[in-house]
Amino acid sequence: MRRLLPWLTHHLQTPFVVLILGVMVYVLWQSQSFSLGARLFPQVVASAGILLALAELLRQFLRRGAREEQDFTDLASEEDSVAYYGRGMLFFGWLVVFVVLLFLVGPIIAAGMYVLLLLTVQFRSPWRVVVALSLGLMALIWVLGVVLQLRWPASLLSGLI
Amino acid sequence: MKKWVKGLCVGMVALSLSAIGSVQASPETYYAGKSIRIVIPFSPGGGTDTFGRLIGQYLGKHVPGSPTVISENVTGAGGLLGSNEFAERVAHDGTTLLTASGHLNLRAFLGLRGLRLDLNALEPVVAAPMGHVTAIATRAGIDKPEDLAQAKGRLTKGITDPIGLLESLIALEMFDLNYRPVPGYSGRGDTRIAFERGELMINTQSTPAYLSRVVPLIEEGKAMPLFAIGFIDADGNPVRDPAVPDMITAPELYERIHGEKPSGMVWEAFKAVVPLVQNTRGTLWMHGDIPDDAKEALRIGVERMVADPEFIAASERILEGYEIIHGDDLGQIKDSMAAASPEVIAFLREMLSTRFGTQFED
Amino acid sequence: MLEALINALWILLDPFRMGMLFAGVAIGILVGILPGLGGLMGMALVLPFLFGMDPYAGIALLIGIAAAVPSADTFPSVLMGIPGSSGSQATVMDGYPMARKGEAARALGAAFAASMIGGLLGALALTAVVPFARPIILAFGSPELFMLTLLGLSMVGVLSGNRPIKGILAAVFGLVLGTVGGAPVAAEYRFAGDFLYLYDGFSLVILALGLFALPEIVDLLARGGAIADKKHGLGSGWMRGVRDTLNHKWLVFRHSVIGVFIGFIPGMGSSIIDWVNYGIVVQTSKDKSQFGKGDVRGVIAPESANNAKEGGVLMPTLLFGVPGSSAMALFLGALMIFGIEPGPQLLTRELDLVFVIIWSLALANIFGTLICLLLSKPIARLTFVPFHYLAPFIIVIVMLGAWQETRHWADLVFLLAFGVLGWVMKRTGMPRPPLLIGFILSTLAERYLWMSYNLYDWEWLYRPGVLIIAALSIVLMVAGARIKRSAQQSVPDGGES
């Protein structure tokens, strides 16, 4: 396990391509049941995808151990460590927190609570700043909601009231 | 306390009055302080959307109690999401209405897969009609509609969503024309450009679009009108399209070619499809089980609205030469649906699923 | 013609109409800055007010919105790497690295100057090609449109850099994602099961926000600090950005023309325009080493094009009543409210109106870009604020913006899912733009290929238009490869430092 994680982070590209390969195979397999007009395009595309994914796996095998060369496409320049991946997942978790809050208490309260939570729990910011930002964001969302006539999800809280 | 007693007394009086069926005060107050939400299951800008917004703009003023009316586009899945929301997830109290197009009504009528709108459980509030005209390119080499069967070349017809064109498909079916369907167009406007470009040989447009966009092609000598789909009266007889009264209708053309009136299953299907699509180009639906007061208030609102000169002026451009359907005339919408036998529905579903692969609810 | 032109300007200079134009520009800037919202949203907002309004004022209002959005959506693209609306995805590629280097103000200056010139050229093009528009538009049948989608897909090659297999694989993956939902040529829903949300397929806005916005937010938070690297000094220099644009006159002109032209063709959709332009500018540049790291040309090209396209998409809308984009569909609805029938007769009978539209477009572009330029200096400073203070604002706004797409919980679920996908792609060196291009073109490619075959069997392959576009894509690809090789020969180490 201790050796598996570093290996995964350095070679995440291999499982990812295998995953894409899996999706392509699924698409090819599923599309067998469609009528001709709906079937042909996904079949051709998925077949091409399978060949490309296999070619990419072969390339990765031949160049195993070598680091990806950077160029103008967007290979991330951040560090490639387990700790960094952990932090990344942590912040995806924070994104989920907002979605959950949104459906629980509605957008305006959720926005305020989210600022409070993220800035105090995660970043331990000075409370005056946190409160000011929290109120500011709530006001902003409220104003945008009124001005742009935005519509919000029905929250659990409003359902209870 | 006193207020409460007074309220109770008024309530009892009202109850007893309504029980003997005389003066009823509550339609006047039902919508007071309420708001009406009109669900439009299409993206903003289309013909049906504009109709819905027109109604939304003027109806509130005239419904007793002056409710606030908000039109909301609930898009997604080709109108399915908005329609299903209206059918399943709103209170049946008259505060939510649905704007449907004729073709959405047709989809519900035929039971398209995924659509859970049951028109039998709804009642129309107000509707607007619109006709359709079919034209053919001059390349087909015929000079009068009667020669349709002798048309030469590949008779390509652009297909969008087949149910969205059903009135034109069923008319071609009636003439037993061997056309080549070309699916993939994203809307009638698209097929019109392709027709203009010469890609497509046969094309059906709404009558206003025909008048403004196809007539210039006819003047250039590139196209020829074949027939108007026409309307069907309460007794099932063909009637001319009021926007193009001089143009022969499909059933008349059939009679002229074959020497007899159309009959049989295709004709029955035509009589079911055409009124539903063309009388309800835009329809405002309410749930059938909303309180009677709400129904009455909406009815009053519509009657007052159609008499409002401001509304008449604004609606003139949007209705494009047709008269709004309201009051007792709305009955014909449900009558035409009721008149269609289960065999006709089965025939239409069979035709759509074998020719175009359309999937229906079981 | 000249008389109508001047007459139209007088019509528009009425205070109420000018007020409406300004209101439109203000709304356009607001919805443009907010990620996930776009011109369609802004126009839908004002639609109820159009009943009974003076038609010229209403048109000024709508055109004001349409013209300001592609300028304002540059802010999130450059400052935060978040595509502000579907028209400014490619601006992220170089604009955002510039902001990271502390050159946000310069990038914005260049972008807005390019937007303004592009927008004016778009309005000018609209005036100049009015007489020839109809035959040109009619020359593009299904086979030609299919070839144009292939031309768009060929951009994947250049956008994949040193990893062609990964890039093409990403594009194919995008094509596969695009097949989800209703099949374009059969009444069948693919990979959707009974989940109605998927009947329409994935939304481009959600996909673009997921692929680009969420990974950037997560990485900035994980890394800590501000968006801009303090080492590079404070970000001033929007004048420098304006000068950059003026120094690349030819580039601005060329990409404005391409933008107008693609916008012009009904059925291509306007979301591919910025990618095609980005691809072309990379492909035709001798020194590619700085693209993706903050080359100002990578900002100028898509920004000139995406403002110019508004002139282009108006053409099929006005002449054929066929909308060139979803916002134009709404514009058509508004014309209907005013009782204006689109069609060639507009040019003979209502030339005044056509010129009011053109003037509105030109003036709204000038006002919109000037306001954005004024805003750019203070807003660019945000890139120096510690990011965790900005993050909750951005997260909340992106999520709530995404929610406006169909207002279905699945919007947010797929936003998160695409966010993870984008993050993994970023980590594994799989380029994201090809995926987006594949996704945008998937339905178009499938549709036009089937239609070509159904209409002409295989004869469509010999049509002159098809051959010309095929030749053009081959020339572009060969030229790109040759320039690339000669650049590598002159700089043996490549651009690596």
Side-chain angles (χ1 to χ4, degrees), chain B residues 287-305:
Chain B
H287 290 285
D289 53 355
I290 64 173
D292 287 341
D293 293 340
K295 279 187 196 174
E296 182 58 17
L298 288 173
R299 195 194 61 79
I300 296 172
V302 168
E303 293 312 315
R304 289 188 192 156
M305 178 178 75

mmCIF file with all atom_site columns, all heavy atoms in Angstrom, chain B residues 287-305:
data_model
loop_
_atom_site.group_PDB
_atom_site.id
_atom_site.type_symbol
_atom_site.label_atom_id
_atom_site.label_alt_id
_atom_site.label_comp_id
_atom_site.label_asym_id
_atom_site.label_entity_id
_atom_site.label_seq_id
_atom_site.pdbx_PDB_ins_code
_atom_site.Cartn_x
_atom_site.Cartn_y
_atom_site.Cartn_z
_atom_site.occupancy
_atom_site.B_iso_or_equiv
_atom_site.pdbx_formal_charge
_atom_site.auth_seq_id
_atom_site.auth_comp_id
_atom_site.auth_asym_id
_atom_site.auth_atom_id
_atom_site.pdbx_PDB_model_num
ATOM 1   N N   . HIS B 1 287 ? -54.974 22.281 -15.080 1.00 0.00 ? 287 HIS B N   1
ATOM 2   C CA  . HIS B 1 287 ? -55.370 20.961 -14.613 1.00 0.00 ? 287 HIS B CA  1
ATOM 3   C C   . HIS B 1 287 ? -56.894 20.912 -14.547 1.00 0.00 ? 287 HIS B C   1
ATOM 4   O O   . HIS B 1 287 ? -57.534 21.889 -14.176 1.00 0.00 ? 287 HIS B O   1
ATOM 5   C CB  . HIS B 1 287 ? -54.790 20.683 -13.231 1.00 0.00 ? 287 HIS B CB  1
ATOM 6   C CG  . HIS B 1 287 ? -53.307 20.491 -13.253 1.00 0.00 ? 287 HIS B CG  1
ATOM 7   N ND1 . HIS B 1 287 ? -52.715 19.346 -13.721 1.00 0.00 ? 287 HIS B ND1 1
ATOM 8   C CD2 . HIS B 1 287 ? -52.290 21.303 -12.888 1.00 0.00 ? 287 HIS B CD2 1
ATOM 9   C CE1 . HIS B 1 287 ? -51.411 19.452 -13.641 1.00 0.00 ? 287 HIS B CE1 1
ATOM 10  N NE2 . HIS B 1 287 ? -51.113 20.635 -13.134 1.00 0.00 ? 287 HIS B NE2 1
ATOM 11  N N   . GLY B 1 288 ? -57.454 19.741 -14.889 1.00 0.00 ? 288 GLY B N   1
ATOM 12  C CA  . GLY B 1 288 ? -58.911 19.646 -14.930 1.00 0.00 ? 288 GLY B CA  1
ATOM 13  C C   . GLY B 1 288 ? -59.562 19.652 -13.563 1.00 0.00 ? 288 GLY B C   1
ATOM 14  O O   . GLY B 1 288 ? -60.753 19.930 -13.428 1.00 0.00 ? 288 GLY B O   1
ATOM 15  N N   . ASP B 1 289 ? -58.777 19.358 -12.511 1.00 0.00 ? 289 ASP B N   1
ATOM 16  C CA  . ASP B 1 289 ? -59.395 19.220 -11.183 1.00 0.00 ? 289 ASP B CA  1
ATOM 17  C C   . ASP B 1 289 ? -59.091 20.415 -10.276 1.00 0.00 ? 289 ASP B C   1
ATOM 18  O O   . ASP B 1 289 ? -59.083 20.281 -9.065  1.00 0.00 ? 289 ASP B O   1
ATOM 19  C CB  . ASP B 1 289 ? -58.942 17.920 -10.525 1.00 0.00 ? 289 ASP B CB  1
ATOM 20  C CG  . ASP B 1 289 ? -57.432 17.794 -10.497 1.00 0.00 ? 289 ASP B CG  1
ATOM 21  O OD1 . ASP B 1 289 ? -56.756 18.669 -11.078 1.00 0.00 ? 289 ASP B OD1 1
ATOM 22  O OD2 . ASP B 1 289 ? -56.921 16.826 -9.910  1.00 0.00 ? 289 ASP B OD2 1
ATOM 23  N N   . ILE B 1 290 ? -58.818 21.567 -10.856 1.00 0.00 ? 290 ILE B N   1
ATOM 24  C CA  . ILE B 1 290 ? -58.608 22.743 -10.005 1.00 0.00 ? 290 ILE B CA  1
ATOM 25  C C   . ILE B 1 290 ? -59.969 23.244 -9.533  1.00 0.00 ? 290 ILE B C   1
ATOM 26  O O   . ILE B 1 290 ? -61.002 22.899 -10.126 1.00 0.00 ? 290 ILE B O   1
ATOM 27  C CB  . ILE B 1 290 ? -57.837 23.862 -10.740 1.00 0.00 ? 290 ILE B CB  1
ATOM 28  C CG1 . ILE B 1 290 ? -58.633 24.402 -11.930 1.00 0.00 ? 290 ILE B CG1 1
ATOM 29  C CG2 . ILE B 1 290 ? -56.474 23.378 -11.186 1.00 0.00 ? 290 ILE B CG2 1
ATOM 30  C CD1 . ILE B 1 290 ? -57.990 25.605 -12.584 1.00 0.00 ? 290 ILE B CD1 1
ATOM 31  N N   . PRO B 1 291 ? -60.017 24.030 -8.445  1.00 0.00 ? 291 PRO B N   1
ATOM 32  C CA  . PRO B 1 291 ? -61.312 24.508 -7.933  1.00 0.00 ? 291 PRO B CA  1
ATOM 33  C C   . PRO B 1 291 ? -62.122 25.220 -9.025  1.00 0.00 ? 291 PRO B C   1
ATOM 34  O O   . PRO B 1 291 ? -61.549 25.880 -9.889  1.00 0.00 ? 291 PRO B O   1
ATOM 35  C CB  . PRO B 1 291 ? -60.897 25.501 -6.842  1.00 0.00 ? 291 PRO B CB  1
ATOM 36  C CG  . PRO B 1 291 ? -59.510 25.120 -6.451  1.00 0.00 ? 291 PRO B CG  1
ATOM 37  C CD  . PRO B 1 291 ? -58.888 24.505 -7.641  1.00 0.00 ? 291 PRO B CD  1
ATOM 38  N N   . ASP B 1 292 ? -63.425 25.080 -8.951  1.00 0.00 ? 292 ASP B N   1
ATOM 39  C CA  . ASP B 1 292 ? -64.291 25.697 -9.956  1.00 0.00 ? 292 ASP B CA  1
ATOM 40  C C   . ASP B 1 292 ? -64.123 27.203 -9.985  1.00 0.00 ? 292 ASP B C   1
ATOM 41  O O   . ASP B 1 292 ? -64.222 27.835 -11.034 1.00 0.00 ? 292 ASP B O   1
ATOM 42  C CB  . ASP B 1 292 ? -65.758 25.347 -9.662  1.00 0.00 ? 292 ASP B CB  1
ATOM 43  C CG  . ASP B 1 292 ? -66.034 23.889 -10.008 1.00 0.00 ? 292 ASP B CG  1
ATOM 44  O OD1 . ASP B 1 292 ? -65.226 23.316 -10.771 1.00 0.00 ? 292 ASP B OD1 1
ATOM 45  O OD2 . ASP B 1 292 ? -67.033 23.335 -9.504  1.00 0.00 ? 292 ASP B OD2 1
ATOM 46  N N   . ASP B 1 293 ? -63.865 27.781 -8.806  1.00 0.00 ? 293 ASP B N   1
ATOM 47  C CA  . ASP B 1 293 ? -63.682 29.232 -8.752  1.00 0.00 ? 293 ASP B CA  1
ATOM 48  C C   . ASP B 1 293 ? -62.498 29.655 -9.612  1.00 0.00 ? 293 ASP B C   1
ATOM 49  O O   . ASP B 1 293 ? -62.542 30.661 -10.303 1.00 0.00 ? 293 ASP B O   1
ATOM 50  C CB  . ASP B 1 293 ? -63.424 29.687 -7.311  1.00 0.00 ? 293 ASP B CB  1
ATOM 51  C CG  . ASP B 1 293 ? -64.654 29.466 -6.464  1.00 0.00 ? 293 ASP B CG  1
ATOM 52  O OD1 . ASP B 1 293 ? -65.750 29.340 -7.054  1.00 0.00 ? 293 ASP B OD1 1
ATOM 53  O OD2 . ASP B 1 293 ? -64.519 29.418 -5.237  1.00 0.00 ? 293 ASP B OD2 1
ATOM 54  N N   . ALA B 1 294 ? -61.433 28.868 -9.537  1.00 0.00 ? 294 ALA B N   1
ATOM 55  C CA  . ALA B 1 294 ? -60.250 29.192 -10.320 1.00 0.00 ? 294 ALA B CA  1
ATOM 56  C C   . ALA B 1 294 ? -60.568 29.105 -11.801 1.00 0.00 ? 294 ALA B C   1
ATOM 57  O O   . ALA B 1 294 ? -60.210 29.983 -12.590 1.00 0.00 ? 294 ALA B O   1
ATOM 58  C CB  . ALA B 1 294 ? -59.114 28.240 -9.956  1.00 0.00 ? 294 ALA B CB  1
ATOM 59  N N   . LYS B 1 295 ? -61.276 28.036 -12.194 1.00 0.00 ? 295 LYS B N   1
ATOM 60  C CA  . LYS B 1 295 ? -61.646 27.877 -13.608 1.00 0.00 ? 295 LYS B CA  1
ATOM 61  C C   . LYS B 1 295 ? -62.456 29.063 -14.092 1.00 0.00 ? 295 LYS B C   1
ATOM 62  O O   . LYS B 1 295 ? -62.220 29.628 -15.161 1.00 0.00 ? 295 LYS B O   1
ATOM 63  C CB  . LYS B 1 295 ? -62.490 26.607 -13.787 1.00 0.00 ? 295 LYS B CB  1
ATOM 64  C CG  . LYS B 1 295 ? -61.677 25.343 -13.855 1.00 0.00 ? 295 LYS B CG  1
ATOM 65  C CD  . LYS B 1 295 ? -62.586 24.183 -14.206 1.00 0.00 ? 295 LYS B CD  1
ATOM 66  C CE  . LYS B 1 295 ? -61.892 22.884 -13.894 1.00 0.00 ? 295 LYS B CE  1
ATOM 67  N NZ  . LYS B 1 295 ? -62.755 21.713 -14.073 1.00 0.00 ? 295 LYS B NZ  1
ATOM 68  N N   . GLU B 1 296 ? -63.430 29.430 -13.241 1.00 0.00 ? 296 GLU B N   1
ATOM 69  C CA  . GLU B 1 296 ? -64.312 30.517 -13.615 1.00 0.00 ? 296 GLU B CA  1
ATOM 70  C C   . GLU B 1 296 ? -63.525 31.828 -13.722 1.00 0.00 ? 296 GLU B C   1
ATOM 71  O O   . GLU B 1 296 ? -63.705 32.605 -14.672 1.00 0.00 ? 296 GLU B O   1
ATOM 72  C CB  . GLU B 1 296 ? -65.425 30.648 -12.564 1.00 0.00 ? 296 GLU B CB  1
ATOM 73  C CG  . GLU B 1 296 ? -66.459 31.714 -12.838 1.00 0.00 ? 296 GLU B CG  1
ATOM 74  C CD  . GLU B 1 296 ? -67.179 31.524 -14.172 1.00 0.00 ? 296 GLU B CD  1
ATOM 75  O OE1 . GLU B 1 296 ? -67.123 30.409 -14.739 1.00 0.00 ? 296 GLU B OE1 1
ATOM 76  O OE2 . GLU B 1 296 ? -67.774 32.508 -14.658 1.00 0.00 ? 296 GLU B OE2 1
ATOM 77  N N   . ALA B 1 297 ? -62.613 32.041 -12.772 1.00 0.00 ? 297 ALA B N   1
ATOM 78  C CA  . ALA B 1 297 ? -61.820 33.267 -12.792 1.00 0.00 ? 297 ALA B CA  1
ATOM 79  C C   . ALA B 1 297 ? -60.973 33.329 -14.055 1.00 0.00 ? 297 ALA B C   1
ATOM 80  O O   . ALA B 1 297 ? -60.864 34.386 -14.692 1.00 0.00 ? 297 ALA B O   1
ATOM 81  C CB  . ALA B 1 297 ? -60.936 33.330 -11.548 1.00 0.00 ? 297 ALA B CB  1
ATOM 82  N N   . LEU B 1 298 ? -60.403 32.195 -14.440 1.00 0.00 ? 298 LEU B N   1
ATOM 83  C CA  . LEU B 1 298 ? -59.578 32.177 -15.651 1.00 0.00 ? 298 LEU B CA  1
ATOM 84  C C   . LEU B 1 298 ? -60.445 32.429 -16.887 1.00 0.00 ? 298 LEU B C   1
ATOM 85  O O   . LEU B 1 298 ? -60.048 33.140 -17.809 1.00 0.00 ? 298 LEU B O   1
ATOM 86  C CB  . LEU B 1 298 ? -58.846 30.831 -15.780 1.00 0.00 ? 298 LEU B CB  1
ATOM 87  C CG  . LEU B 1 298 ? -57.705 30.606 -14.786 1.00 0.00 ? 298 LEU B CG  1
ATOM 88  C CD1 . LEU B 1 298 ? -57.173 29.192 -14.898 1.00 0.00 ? 298 LEU B CD1 1
ATOM 89  C CD2 . LEU B 1 298 ? -56.583 31.604 -15.011 1.00 0.00 ? 298 LEU B CD2 1
ATOM 90  N N   . ARG B 1 299 ? -61.636 31.836 -16.871 1.00 0.00 ? 299 ARG B N   1
ATOM 91  C CA  . ARG B 1 299 ? -62.527 32.024 -18.025 1.00 0.00 ? 299 ARG B CA  1
ATOM 92  C C   . ARG B 1 299 ? -62.876 33.500 -18.178 1.00 0.00 ? 299 ARG B C   1
ATOM 93  O O   . ARG B 1 299 ? -62.785 34.072 -19.258 1.00 0.00 ? 299 ARG B O   1
ATOM 94  C CB  . ARG B 1 299 ? -63.798 31.183 -17.852 1.00 0.00 ? 299 ARG B CB  1
ATOM 95  C CG  . ARG B 1 299 ? -64.619 31.024 -19.112 1.00 0.00 ? 299 ARG B CG  1
ATOM 96  C CD  . ARG B 1 299 ? -66.010 30.500 -18.828 1.00 0.00 ? 299 ARG B CD  1
ATOM 97  N NE  . ARG B 1 299 ? -66.797 31.394 -17.974 1.00 0.00 ? 299 ARG B NE  1
ATOM 98  C CZ  . ARG B 1 299 ? -67.411 32.496 -18.409 1.00 0.00 ? 299 ARG B CZ  1
ATOM 99  N NH1 . ARG B 1 299 ? -67.315 32.825 -19.685 1.00 0.00 ? 299 ARG B NH1 1
ATOM 100 N NH2 . ARG B 1 299 ? -68.099 33.245 -17.569 1.00 0.00 ? 299 ARG B NH2 1
ATOM 101 N N   . ILE B 1 300 ? -63.233 34.105 -17.036 1.00 0.00 ? 300 ILE B N   1
ATOM 102 C CA  . ILE B 1 300 ? -63.568 35.538 -17.072 1.00 0.00 ? 300 ILE B CA  1
ATOM 103 C C   . ILE B 1 300 ? -62.363 36.335 -17.566 1.00 0.00 ? 300 ILE B C   1
ATOM 104 O O   . ILE B 1 300 ? -62.481 37.224 -18.415 1.00 0.00 ? 300 ILE B O   1
ATOM 105 C CB  . ILE B 1 300 ? -63.979 36.025 -15.665 1.00 0.00 ? 300 ILE B CB  1
ATOM 106 C CG1 . ILE B 1 300 ? -65.256 35.309 -15.216 1.00 0.00 ? 300 ILE B CG1 1
ATOM 107 C CG2 . ILE B 1 300 ? -64.180 37.536 -15.651 1.00 0.00 ? 300 ILE B CG2 1
ATOM 108 C CD1 . ILE B 1 300 ? -65.627 35.569 -13.773 1.00 0.00 ? 300 ILE B CD1 1
ATOM 109 N N   . GLY B 1 301 ? -61.196 35.986 -17.028 1.00 0.00 ? 301 GLY B N   1
ATOM 110 C CA  . GLY B 1 301 ? -59.971 36.690 -17.402 1.00 0.00 ? 301 GLY B CA  1
ATOM 111 C C   . GLY B 1 301 ? -59.733 36.626 -18.895 1.00 0.00 ? 301 GLY B C   1
ATOM 112 O O   . GLY B 1 301 ? -59.405 37.636 -19.533 1.00 0.00 ? 301 GLY B O   1
ATOM 113 N N   . VAL B 1 302 ? -59.906 35.436 -19.486 1.00 0.00 ? 302 VAL B N   1
ATOM 114 C CA  . VAL B 1 302 ? -59.656 35.283 -20.920 1.00 0.00 ? 302 VAL B CA  1
ATOM 115 C C   . VAL B 1 302 ? -60.672 36.107 -21.717 1.00 0.00 ? 302 VAL B C   1
ATOM 116 O O   . VAL B 1 302 ? -60.315 36.808 -22.664 1.00 0.00 ? 302 VAL B O   1
ATOM 117 C CB  . VAL B 1 302 ? -59.714 33.792 -21.319 1.00 0.00 ? 302 VAL B CB  1
ATOM 118 C CG1 . VAL B 1 302 ? -59.757 33.647 -22.831 1.00 0.00 ? 302 VAL B CG1 1
ATOM 119 C CG2 . VAL B 1 302 ? -58.528 33.047 -20.732 1.00 0.00 ? 302 VAL B CG2 1
ATOM 120 N N   . GLU B 1 303 ? -61.940 36.047 -21.290 1.00 0.00 ? 303 GLU B N   1
ATOM 121 C CA  . GLU B 1 303 ? -62.963 36.809 -22.026 1.00 0.00 ? 303 GLU B CA  1
ATOM 122 C C   . GLU B 1 303 ? -62.654 38.298 -22.008 1.00 0.00 ? 303 GLU B C   1
ATOM 123 O O   . GLU B 1 303 ? -62.777 38.987 -23.015 1.00 0.00 ? 303 GLU B O   1
ATOM 124 C CB  . GLU B 1 303 ? -64.361 36.557 -21.420 1.00 0.00 ? 303 GLU B CB  1
ATOM 125 C CG  . GLU B 1 303 ? -64.877 35.138 -21.604 1.00 0.00 ? 303 GLU B CG  1
ATOM 126 C CD  . GLU B 1 303 ? -64.751 34.617 -23.029 1.00 0.00 ? 303 GLU B CD  1
ATOM 127 O OE1 . GLU B 1 303 ? -65.090 35.375 -23.966 1.00 0.00 ? 303 GLU B OE1 1
ATOM 128 O OE2 . GLU B 1 303 ? -64.282 33.474 -23.211 1.00 0.00 ? 303 GLU B OE2 1
ATOM 129 N N   . ARG B 1 304 ? -62.244 38.788 -20.837 1.00 0.00 ? 304 ARG B N   1
ATOM 130 C CA  . ARG B 1 304 ? -61.930 40.221 -20.754 1.00 0.00 ? 304 ARG B CA  1
ATOM 131 C C   . ARG B 1 304 ? -60.687 40.542 -21.564 1.00 0.00 ? 304 ARG B C   1
ATOM 132 O O   . ARG B 1 304 ? -60.588 41.576 -22.198 1.00 0.00 ? 304 ARG B O   1
ATOM 133 C CB  . ARG B 1 304 ? -61.695 40.625 -19.304 1.00 0.00 ? 304 ARG B CB  1
ATOM 134 C CG  . ARG B 1 304 ? -62.969 40.628 -18.478 1.00 0.00 ? 304 ARG B CG  1
ATOM 135 C CD  . ARG B 1 304 ? -62.665 41.227 -17.123 1.00 0.00 ? 304 ARG B CD  1
ATOM 136 N NE  . ARG B 1 304 ? -63.758 41.008 -16.202 1.00 0.00 ? 304 ARG B NE  1
ATOM 137 C CZ  . ARG B 1 304 ? -63.611 41.004 -14.884 1.00 0.00 ? 304 ARG B CZ  1
ATOM 138 N NH1 . ARG B 1 304 ? -62.413 41.207 -14.345 1.00 0.00 ? 304 ARG B NH1 1
ATOM 139 N NH2 . ARG B 1 304 ? -64.642 40.812 -14.097 1.00 0.00 ? 304 ARG B NH2 1
ATOM 140 N N   . MET B 1 305 ? -59.723 39.621 -21.513 1.00 0.00 ? 305 MET B N   1
ATOM 141 C CA  . MET B 1 305 ? -58.461 39.871 -22.206 1.00 0.00 ? 305 MET B CA  1
ATOM 142 C C   . MET B 1 305 ? -58.677 39.982 -23.715 1.00 0.00 ? 305 MET B C   1
ATOM 143 O O   . MET B 1 305 ? -58.158 40.905 -24.348 1.00 0.00 ? 305 MET B O   1
ATOM 144 C CB  . MET B 1 305 ? -57.464 38.748 -21.907 1.00 0.00 ? 305 MET B CB  1
ATOM 145 C CG  . MET B 1 305 ? -56.139 38.886 -22.618 1.00 0.00 ? 305 MET B CG  1
ATOM 146 S SD  . MET B 1 305 ? -55.012 37.556 -22.181 1.00 0.00 ? 305 MET B SD  1
ATOM 147 C CE  . MET B 1 305 ? -55.706 36.204 -23.116 1.00 0.00 ? 305 MET B CE  1
#
